Amino acid sequence: MAGDDLAGTKKGSSKNPKNSNDSKLKQKSPAEFFAENKNIAGFDNPGKSLYTTVRELVENALDSAESISELPEVEVTIEEIVKSKFNSMIGLIDRERVDTQLYDDYETEKAREKRLAKEARASEIQAKNLASGKKNKEPGVSKVLKARGEASYYKVTCKDNGKGMPHDDIPNMFGRVLSGTKYGLKQTRGKFGLGAKMALIWSKMSTGLPIEISSSMKSQNYVTFCRLDIDIHRNIPHIHLHEKKGNKEKWHGAEIQVVIEGNWTTYRSKILHYMRQMAVITPYAQFLFRFISETPEKNVTIKFTRRTDVMPPIPIETKHHPSSVDLLLIKRLITDTSKKTLLQFLQNEFVNINKTLATRLIGEMGPDFGPSMAVKSVTSQQMVRIHQLFRQAKFDDPSGDCLSPAGEYNLRLGIIKELHPDMVATYSGSAQVFEGHPFIVEAGVSLGGRDVKQGINIFRFANRIPLLFEQGADVVTRTALKRINWNSYKINQTQDKIGVFVSIVSTKIPFKGTGKEYIGDDISEIATAVKSAIQQCCIQLKSKIVKRLQAREQQERKRSLSRYIPDATGAVYEVLKQMTEEHTTKRKRYGEEDTVMLNKVSKHIITKETLKEKLAEHVEQVDYEMALEYATQSGVSEEPRENIYLQHLDPNKSNFIDLHSPTFVFRLML
């Protein structure tokens, strides 16, 4: 019996392979992962998706133009597409509702009667209140039912004058997630390396329409046109059309067009705010933004003109700092290196490790290591030893030469161009380090201006892109609101219109949260640098405010003295007339100088008018001397300005020299 039971069990198990099927492993492609977790890349909802699409396309356009040192010209167009037009684009015939009860906005007859009765009662109460003179309450907003299937569609187009893209690379650049040109260690605008790929994924999810790309590189006699979408499951491009067209206009750059579901109504202010802040941080770029609606009254056209042609240097790729690497990175560097020995590997794959230091580090690793040992022979255990030493050893901080901040000059111009403040002060700090990554903090503080609210208005930038969301926990917000004593700088925190601009550039921005929209307040190096930069701006503003107050007081004193000149003149002249009478009647004798003056009074050489003129001249002279003395003292006590430096001149590319300072650029034409 036992043998029969065992046989039955084996037989039954062979007929039921369910457990083995459950244990099969499955995997997702990167495109499928981001499609299911689109909120990670900023595609939380239709409105945010429209904003993120615009942001990604604009930042790619700026990177493309700056990479060839071309002054950026970016055109962004959002065209509203109504339901009937969208249906025609996808070849779908409009159909009227037949069974209304199927829809989410269906209202039963009983519910309709109840709603109408409620509205009638409310109207009756309002009429009674109006007749009795009572104040009516604001009527409540009636709930409008909206079908869940109703969506708004938009065609987003972004055109630039950048370097364009190679013909054969375009399908993979747009149709393959986690492929790109920005994965080296350098300062980049991009946060995820997804760019327009997520816009394509969102387009595929919300409209099913492909993306269209036109591109041409410099000196190309053709324009590449490509229409494609993405195979989500295989993470490969699905090409509809890929061809070359003529380029009679000699245009270079890229034009990207994508149709997506969006919400312009709720995210209109965010998109316009983003464009305005981008114009602040990149005053050397020209932006043209258009919103085209089926209703002409809703159309928007804004042009952000270029203010300067001085561009920041192009960020360069750098090597890793020893204190910033982990075990995985060390393994990858060893796998990818072309160096043969461990000494050469340490010396050439990391910053701030010269031959002498590399030899000392190898000596510290133990007897199993040697300068001439083959780097490819390093075992996993030995990699751990290298990592431990990197974490414990002391290395010089990396320089900020690989970074590309906006510069005080551009930051100041951008603030003045867009906000028109009464006062502005800017400051650019020196390069500092956190976890082996260099960073630079630039700041600007403005007072007054156009479209600036009372109180503190904060503008945040990371690697020269605006951060508009999750402001409350950001290091800039917390520093400006809690760590700066504005009153000590003669600034009223609640009544003055204060603009606080902070730009942080780094090879690695320590974003927090999945959206990567704010920089945490937990990194002391960055928090200290932000506070110091804002304080330096406030010190400059305090000096200007004090000078303005003193000038105002001086003008007030001059105004007061001028006001009393007629009364003082009359009193003095009456005294002189009385003295002249006494001198004439010989009742009182005066000295020789007084006698000469009194004779002039009697002969009307000195009159009331001449006294008035002399007093006015004296007030002017005293005012001028006080101003001159103040300016001289201020100039002596003022700290020296930053040195002007000469930019390297390439005779093959330019015929001028730029002389830079924190507040201006002087161009010397040759």
Side-chain angles (χ1 to χ4, degrees):
M1 291 294 293
D4 292 340
D5 291 342
L6 183 59
T9 304
K10 288 182 178 180
K11 186 176 180 180
S13 62
S14 64
K15 286 184 178 180
N16 186 17
K18 184 178 179 180
N19 294 333
S20 60
N21 285 339
D22 287 344
S23 64
K24 281 186 178 180
L25 292 175
K26 297 179 181 180
Q27 68 178 40
K28 294 180 180 178
S29 73
E32 192 174 4
F33 171 80
F34 282 105
E36 294 179 359
N37 300 277
K38 56 186 182 295
N39 61 301
I40 295 178
F43 287 75
D44 305 62
N45 52 65
K48 184 78 178 293
S49 299
L50 179 64
Y51 160 80
T52 306
T53 298
V54 171
R55 189 199 69 188
E56 294 286 359
L57 296 182
V58 168
E59 289 163 14
N60 285 348
L62 289 172
D63 285 337
S64 178
E66 291 174 4
S67 66
I68 56 173
S69 299
E70 189 88 19
L71 291 169
E73 294 181 6
V74 182
E75 297 181 14
V76 180
T77 304
I78 301 176
E79 182 182 353
E80 185 181 24
I81 299 176
V82 296
K83 182 181 177 181
S84 58
K85 185 176 180 180
F86 173 75
N87 287 346
S88 66
M89 290 173 66
I90 62 175
L92 186 66
I93 300 174
D94 285 340
R95 177 177 172 81
E96 297 294 332
R97 294 183 179 184
V98 178
D99 188 351
T100 57
Q101 296 185 20
L102 283 174
Y103 297 92
D104 196 37
D105 56 354
Y106 171 73
E107 186 179 30
T108 63
E109 188 64 30
K110 186 176 181 181
R112 182 174 179 274
E113 291 177 0
K114 187 176 180 181
R115 176 174 59 82
L116 292 175
K118 186 177 180 181
E119 291 175 358
R121 284 196 301 271
S123 299
E124 185 179 348
I125 292 171
Q126 284 187 350
K128 287 182 179 179
N129 289 340
L130 189 64
S132 61
K134 292 183 180 180
K135 188 176 180 181
N136 275 317
K137 293 183 180 180
E138 290 292 329
V141 180
S142 58
K143 186 177 180 181
V144 179
L145 293 173
K146 184 179 179 181
R148 286 173 294 183
E150 291 182 11
S152 301
Y153 302 101
Y154 301 89
K155 181 193 292 182
V156 181
T157 306
C158 183
K159 184 177 181 180
D160 64 67
N161 62 334
K163 67 177 182 180
M165 295 165 280
H167 175 84
D168 295 332
D169 291 347
I170 290 178
N172 283 330
M173 292 180 76
F174 287 87
R176 194 184 296 272
V177 174
L178 299 184
S179 65
T181 60
K182 298 182 180 180
Y183 290 120
L185 186 64
K186 63 186 293 188
Q187 174 190 325
T188 60
R189 283 192 173 93
K191 303 176 189 176
F192 297 96
L194 293 174
K197 303 180 188 72
M198 269 308 302
L200 175 55
I201 291 176
W202 174 244
S203 173
K204 178 132 179 127
M205 295 176 67
S206 59
T207 68
L209 292 172
I211 192 171
E212 293 185 353
I213 306 106
S214 297
S215 175
S216 180
M217 303 184 74
K218 271 191 173 182
S219 71
Q220 276 186 353
N221 58 1
Y222 64 88
V223 174
T224 297
F225 178 78
C226 187
R227 183 185 296 119
L228 60 88
D229 62 27
I230 186 171
D231 187 325
I232 298 289
H233 301 291
R234 293 194 294 165
N235 191 34
I236 59 173
H238 176 214
I239 301 171
H240 297 251
L241 182 63
H242 193 194
E243 62 181 2
K244 296 179 181 179
K245 299 179 179 180
N247 188 13
K248 296 179 181 179
E249 299 178 356
K250 303 298 181 183
W251 167 71
H252 64 86
E255 182 177 8
I256 301 169
Q257 190 175 95
V258 60
V259 179
I260 60 172
E261 181 185 349
N263 191 329
W264 166 256
T265 305
T266 56
Y267 273 78
R268 176 183 185 274
S269 60
K270 286 292 185 184
I271 293 173
L272 296 179
H273 198 193
Y274 169 82
M275 296 301 299
R276 188 188 187 195
Q277 289 201 29
M278 190 58 83
V280 168
I281 202 66
T282 53
Y284 53 87
Q286 180 171 293
F287 298 98
L288 178 61
F289 177 83
R290 287 188 293 255
F291 174 75
I292 302 173
S293 172
E294 290 289 321
T295 308
E297 293 79 14
K298 296 181 180 180
N299 289 353
V300 176
T301 300
I302 303 176
K303 186 175 183 179
F304 301 91
T305 56
R306 180 181 294 115
R307 181 65 183 265
T308 177
D309 60 356
V310 178
M311 296 175 63
I314 299 173
I316 58 176
E317 192 166 345
T318 186
K319 298 174 184 177
H320 293 275
H321 192 272
S323 61
S324 68
V325 298
D326 54 34
L327 275 172
L328 287 176
L329 184 54
I330 292 174
K331 183 177 182 179
R332 182 170 67 81
L333 291 174
I334 290 176
T335 303
D336 297 342
T337 187
S338 60
K339 304 303 174 183
K340 302 297 183 184
T341 66
L342 181 60
L343 179 66
Q344 293 173 338
F345 170 73
L346 295 177
Q347 189 178 344
N348 291 278
E349 296 294 341
F350 300 95
V351 295
N352 295 354
I353 297 183
N354 54 28
K355 186 175 181 179
T356 303
L357 181 57
T359 304
R360 292 174 58 193
L361 289 171
I362 294 172
E364 188 68 19
M365 291 177 188
D368 296 336
F369 296 85
S372 59
M373 74 178 293
V375 68
K376 301 291 185 181
S377 67
V378 175
T379 65
S380 299
Q381 292 80 2
Q382 289 174 326
M383 289 181 194
V384 174
R385 182 70 189 104
I386 294 174
H387 181 231
Q388 291 175 345
L389 183 58
F390 279 178
R391 295 184 64 177
Q392 297 169 2
K394 182 180 179 181
F395 300 94
D396 292 336
D397 291 335
S399 68
D401 297 341
C402 59
L403 302 178
S404 176
E408 277 193 74
Y409 175 74
N410 279 334
L411 182 59
R412 179 184 294 267
L413 276 184
I415 295 171
I416 293 172
K417 179 171 76 80
E418 294 303 321
L419 271 69
H420 301 278
D422 301 326
M423 289 184 188
V424 62
T426 54
Y427 175 79
S428 181
S430 57
Q432 299 185 52
V433 179
F434 77 95
E435 297 178 358
H437 295 278
F439 72 94
I440 293 176
V441 175
E442 299 174 294
V445 178
S446 65
L447 292 177
R450 186 176 63 189
D451 299 331
V452 181
K453 299 177 182 177
Q454 281 187 333
I456 298 177
N457 301 266
I458 296 173
F459 302 81
R460 303 170 293 136
F461 305 91
N463 281 348
R464 306 212 311 265
I465 63 171
L467 303 177
L468 302 186
F469 296 90
E470 301 182 53
Q471 179 172 298
D474 190 87
V475 61
V476 177
T477 305
R478 292 194 173 185
T479 300
L481 296 181
K482 298 181 180 180
R483 302 185 185 122
I484 303 295
N485 185 2
W486 296 95
N487 290 330
S488 64
Y489 301 105
K490 309 291 185 183
I491 300 173
N492 191 312
Q493 183 175 347
T494 56
Q495 296 183 1
D496 290 337
K497 296 179 178 180
I498 308 167
V500 178
F501 304 79
V502 176
S503 172
I504 302 174
V505 296
S506 177
T507 53
K508 180 184 178 183
I509 298 290
F511 290 113
K512 296 291 184 181
T514 56
K516 295 193 174 184
E517 287 288 351
Y518 74 99
I519 300 172
D521 195 33
D522 56 338
I523 300 176
S524 59
E525 296 92 340
I526 292 181
T528 302
V530 168
K531 180 180 179 181
S532 175
I534 296 175
Q535 285 177 328
Q536 290 296 324
C537 294
C538 291
I539 291 171
Q540 296 177 43
L541 284 181
K542 182 180 180 181
S543 176
K544 295 179 182 180
I545 293 170
V546 169
K547 288 179 182 178
R548 180 174 288 189
L549 290 174
Q550 290 176 336
R552 193 178 298 163
E553 291 174 0
Q554 187 176 340
Q555 287 294 323
E556 189 62 35
R557 287 196 301 269
K558 179 181 175 182
R559 197 178 295 114
S560 299
L561 289 173
S562 300
R563 190 185 305 127
Y564 293 114
I565 284 177
D567 296 337
T569 301
V572 171
Y573 191 69
E574 289 297 326
V575 171
L576 289 175
K577 283 175 64 178
Q578 185 178 354
M579 290 173 63
T580 303
E581 291 176 2
E582 292 176 349
H583 182 68
T584 304
T585 58
K586 299 182 180 181
R587 285 185 294 173
K588 195 170 185 180
R589 292 292 178 180
Y590 294 94
E592 185 176 348
E593 292 182 1
D594 295 339
T595 301
V596 173
M597 181 183 63
L598 293 174
N599 288 334
K600 290 181 179 181
V601 173
S602 61
K603 294 177 182 180
H604 299 289
I605 297 174
I606 296 178
T607 63
K608 194 172 183 180
E609 285 70 24
T610 57
L611 283 176
K612 188 175 181 180
E613 290 176 5
K614 291 294 182 182
L615 274 174
E617 289 177 7
H618 181 70
V619 169
E620 288 289 341
Q621 183 65 24
V622 170
D623 179 67
Y624 172 76
E625 289 176 355
M626 289 176 64
L628 186 62
E629 181 182 0
Y630 174 75
T632 304
Q633 291 176 352
S634 299
V636 171
S637 62
E638 195 174 56
E639 294 183 0
R641 297 287 186 183
E642 183 176 324
N643 294 332
I644 295 176
Y645 62 90
L646 289 176
Q647 180 175 303
H648 173 68
L649 178 65
D650 186 346
N652 298 322
K653 294 184 179 179
S654 57
N655 59 347
F656 54 82
I657 298 177
D658 284 347
L659 307 177
H660 292 247
S661 89
T663 54
F664 72 92
V665 173
F666 178 75
R667 176 158 290 172
L668 177 63
M669 307 300 295
L670 301 179

